[in-house]
Amino acid sequence: NKRPDIMIFRGVGESDVFIDFVTCLPTKPDVVSLAASTPGHAADLGAAKKIGDWLELVQRQGDEFVPIAVESGGRVHEDALDLLSEACGAIDGSPGERQAL
């Protein structure tokens, strides 16, 4: 049974957002050479895997999917940063709060 880690309900008639988390290890043998020269490579791979696992199912329902891929060293995939920025804007975050993202 597939369940997302988080689901954001936007309201009746709106598309919901399904979120699934993954921690990515840039030191894995199959990732380390490109991760060493390409910042965010491990997070890109983790996000791509989650998208492959979820996107079709979620879109078939008319909803959105956002992967939250975080490398063990702290780098966060761009899709997650965009979601956090959108959330900050939705709650009227201050310019300083938005800049922190």
Side-chain angles (χ1 to χ4, degrees), residues 25-36 41-42 45:
L25 302 174
T27 56
K28 283 179 54 181
D30 59 332
V31 175
V32 70
S33 62
L34 279 174
H41 178 71
L45 292 177

PDB file of all heavy atoms in Angstrom, residues 25-36 41-42 45:
ATOM      1  N   LEU A  25      22.078   9.888  -0.034  1.00  0.00           N
ATOM      2  CA  LEU A  25      23.455   9.766   0.419  1.00  0.00           C
ATOM      3  C   LEU A  25      24.426  10.002  -0.742  1.00  0.00           C
ATOM      4  O   LEU A  25      24.570   9.150  -1.608  1.00  0.00           O
ATOM      5  CB  LEU A  25      23.694   8.369   1.005  1.00  0.00           C
ATOM      6  CG  LEU A  25      22.786   7.985   2.169  1.00  0.00           C
ATOM      7  CD1 LEU A  25      23.008   6.532   2.556  1.00  0.00           C
ATOM      8  CD2 LEU A  25      23.024   8.908   3.349  1.00  0.00           C
ATOM      9  N   PRO A  26      25.088  11.152  -0.762  1.00  0.00           N
ATOM     10  CA  PRO A  26      26.030  11.432  -1.841  1.00  0.00           C
ATOM     11  C   PRO A  26      27.264  10.534  -1.807  1.00  0.00           C
ATOM     12  O   PRO A  26      28.039  10.507  -2.757  1.00  0.00           O
ATOM     13  CB  PRO A  26      26.427  12.892  -1.632  1.00  0.00           C
ATOM     14  CG  PRO A  26      25.700  13.392  -0.462  1.00  0.00           C
ATOM     15  CD  PRO A  26      24.911  12.275   0.131  1.00  0.00           C
ATOM     16  N   THR A  27      27.446   9.780  -0.731  1.00  0.00           N
ATOM     17  CA  THR A  27      28.615   8.908  -0.610  1.00  0.00           C
ATOM     18  C   THR A  27      28.347   7.479  -1.084  1.00  0.00           C
ATOM     19  O   THR A  27      29.256   6.646  -1.029  1.00  0.00           O
ATOM     20  CB  THR A  27      29.093   8.874   0.849  1.00  0.00           C
ATOM     21  OG1 THR A  27      28.003   8.464   1.684  1.00  0.00           O
ATOM     22  CG2 THR A  27      29.593  10.237   1.291  1.00  0.00           C
ATOM     23  N   LYS A  28      27.144   7.193  -1.572  1.00  0.00           N
ATOM     24  CA  LYS A  28      26.858   5.857  -2.103  1.00  0.00           C
ATOM     25  C   LYS A  28      27.786   5.587  -3.283  1.00  0.00           C
ATOM     26  O   LYS A  28      28.035   6.482  -4.096  1.00  0.00           O
ATOM     27  CB  LYS A  28      25.399   5.751  -2.553  1.00  0.00           C
ATOM     28  CG  LYS A  28      24.421   5.577  -1.425  1.00  0.00           C
ATOM     29  CD  LYS A  28      22.993   5.497  -1.916  1.00  0.00           C
ATOM     30  CE  LYS A  28      22.820   4.426  -2.963  1.00  0.00           C
ATOM     31  NZ  LYS A  28      21.467   4.337  -3.490  1.00  0.00           N
ATOM     32  N   PRO A  29      28.280   4.372  -3.398  1.00  0.00           N
ATOM     33  CA  PRO A  29      29.238   4.059  -4.467  1.00  0.00           C
ATOM     34  C   PRO A  29      28.755   4.406  -5.875  1.00  0.00           C
ATOM     35  O   PRO A  29      29.540   4.855  -6.702  1.00  0.00           O
ATOM     36  CB  PRO A  29      29.453   2.546  -4.320  1.00  0.00           C
ATOM     37  CG  PRO A  29      29.165   2.265  -2.881  1.00  0.00           C
ATOM     38  CD  PRO A  29      28.075   3.237  -2.497  1.00  0.00           C
ATOM     39  N   ASP A  30      27.470   4.241  -6.146  1.00  0.00           N
ATOM     40  CA  ASP A  30      26.966   4.514  -7.499  1.00  0.00           C
ATOM     41  C   ASP A  30      26.686   5.994  -7.742  1.00  0.00           C
ATOM     42  O   ASP A  30      26.315   6.380  -8.846  1.00  0.00           O
ATOM     43  CB  ASP A  30      25.714   3.676  -7.783  1.00  0.00           C
ATOM     44  CG  ASP A  30      24.573   3.944  -6.813  1.00  0.00           C
ATOM     45  OD1 ASP A  30      24.844   4.333  -5.660  1.00  0.00           O
ATOM     46  OD2 ASP A  30      23.414   3.768  -7.210  1.00  0.00           O
ATOM     47  N   VAL A  31      26.865   6.830  -6.727  1.00  0.00           N
ATOM     48  CA  VAL A  31      26.541   8.255  -6.821  1.00  0.00           C
ATOM     49  C   VAL A  31      27.752   9.145  -6.587  1.00  0.00           C
ATOM     50  O   VAL A  31      27.832  10.243  -7.120  1.00  0.00           O
ATOM     51  CB  VAL A  31      25.429   8.605  -5.778  1.00  0.00           C
ATOM     52  CG1 VAL A  31      25.138  10.081  -5.751  1.00  0.00           C
ATOM     53  CG2 VAL A  31      24.178   7.798  -6.024  1.00  0.00           C
ATOM     54  N   VAL A  32      28.702   8.653  -5.817  1.00  0.00           N
ATOM     55  CA  VAL A  32      29.760   9.500  -5.264  1.00  0.00           C
ATOM     56  C   VAL A  32      30.580  10.251  -6.315  1.00  0.00           C
ATOM     57  O   VAL A  32      30.909  11.420  -6.113  1.00  0.00           O
ATOM     58  CB  VAL A  32      30.681   8.696  -4.308  1.00  0.00           C
ATOM     59  CG1 VAL A  32      31.532   7.700  -5.066  1.00  0.00           C
ATOM     60  CG2 VAL A  32      31.527   9.637  -3.469  1.00  0.00           C
ATOM     61  N   SER A  33      30.898   9.644  -7.446  1.00  0.00           N
ATOM     62  CA  SER A  33      31.765  10.345  -8.402  1.00  0.00           C
ATOM     63  C   SER A  33      31.080  11.589  -8.974  1.00  0.00           C
ATOM     64  O   SER A  33      31.696  12.646  -9.050  1.00  0.00           O
ATOM     65  CB  SER A  33      32.236   9.416  -9.521  1.00  0.00           C
ATOM     66  OG  SER A  33      31.141   8.950 -10.267  1.00  0.00           O
ATOM     67  N   LEU A  34      29.813  11.484  -9.353  1.00  0.00           N
ATOM     68  CA  LEU A  34      29.114  12.674  -9.862  1.00  0.00           C
ATOM     69  C   LEU A  34      28.713  13.619  -8.733  1.00  0.00           C
ATOM     70  O   LEU A  34      28.697  14.833  -8.920  1.00  0.00           O
ATOM     71  CB  LEU A  34      27.883  12.271 -10.672  1.00  0.00           C
ATOM     72  CG  LEU A  34      28.185  11.868 -12.107  1.00  0.00           C
ATOM     73  CD1 LEU A  34      26.935  11.349 -12.804  1.00  0.00           C
ATOM     74  CD2 LEU A  34      28.761  13.035 -12.887  1.00  0.00           C
ATOM     75  N   ALA A  35      28.399  13.077  -7.569  1.00  0.00           N
ATOM     76  CA  ALA A  35      28.017  13.932  -6.436  1.00  0.00           C
ATOM     77  C   ALA A  35      29.198  14.808  -5.997  1.00  0.00           C
ATOM     78  O   ALA A  35      29.000  15.930  -5.543  1.00  0.00           O
ATOM     79  CB  ALA A  35      27.517  13.088  -5.271  1.00  0.00           C
ATOM     80  N   ALA A  36      30.404  14.297  -6.162  1.00  0.00           N
ATOM     81  CA  ALA A  36      31.589  15.062  -5.774  1.00  0.00           C
ATOM     82  C   ALA A  36      31.805  16.272  -6.671  1.00  0.00           C
ATOM     83  O   ALA A  36      32.347  17.284  -6.241  1.00  0.00           O
ATOM     84  CB  ALA A  36      32.825  14.166  -5.797  1.00  0.00           C
ATOM     85  N   HIS A  41      23.617  16.505  -6.803  1.00  0.00           N
ATOM     86  CA  HIS A  41      23.393  15.347  -7.677  1.00  0.00           C
ATOM     87  C   HIS A  41      22.606  14.241  -6.962  1.00  0.00           C
ATOM     88  O   HIS A  41      21.668  13.675  -7.537  1.00  0.00           O
ATOM     89  CB  HIS A  41      24.723  14.800  -8.194  1.00  0.00           C
ATOM     90  CG  HIS A  41      24.577  13.594  -9.055  1.00  0.00           C
ATOM     91  ND1 HIS A  41      24.047  13.645 -10.330  1.00  0.00           N
ATOM     92  CD2 HIS A  41      24.860  12.290  -8.817  1.00  0.00           C
ATOM     93  CE1 HIS A  41      24.020  12.431 -10.839  1.00  0.00           C
ATOM     94  NE2 HIS A  41      24.512  11.588  -9.941  1.00  0.00           N
ATOM     95  N   ALA A  42      22.972  13.930  -5.738  1.00  0.00           N
ATOM     96  CA  ALA A  42      22.270  12.869  -5.011  1.00  0.00           C
ATOM     97  C   ALA A  42      20.804  13.251  -4.777  1.00  0.00           C
ATOM     98  O   ALA A  42      19.905  12.423  -4.930  1.00  0.00           O
ATOM     99  CB  ALA A  42      22.966  12.578  -3.683  1.00  0.00           C
ATOM    100  N   LEU A  45      18.844  12.789  -7.982  1.00  0.00           N
ATOM    101  CA  LEU A  45      18.513  11.376  -8.210  1.00  0.00           C
ATOM    102  C   LEU A  45      17.379  10.917  -7.302  1.00  0.00           C
ATOM    103  O   LEU A  45      16.477  10.202  -7.741  1.00  0.00           O
ATOM    104  CB  LEU A  45      19.740  10.492  -7.997  1.00  0.00           C
ATOM    105  CG  LEU A  45      20.872  10.626  -9.011  1.00  0.00           C
ATOM    106  CD1 LEU A  45      22.048   9.741  -8.611  1.00  0.00           C
ATOM    107  CD2 LEU A  45      20.384  10.272 -10.403  1.00  0.00           C
TER     108      LEU A  45
END
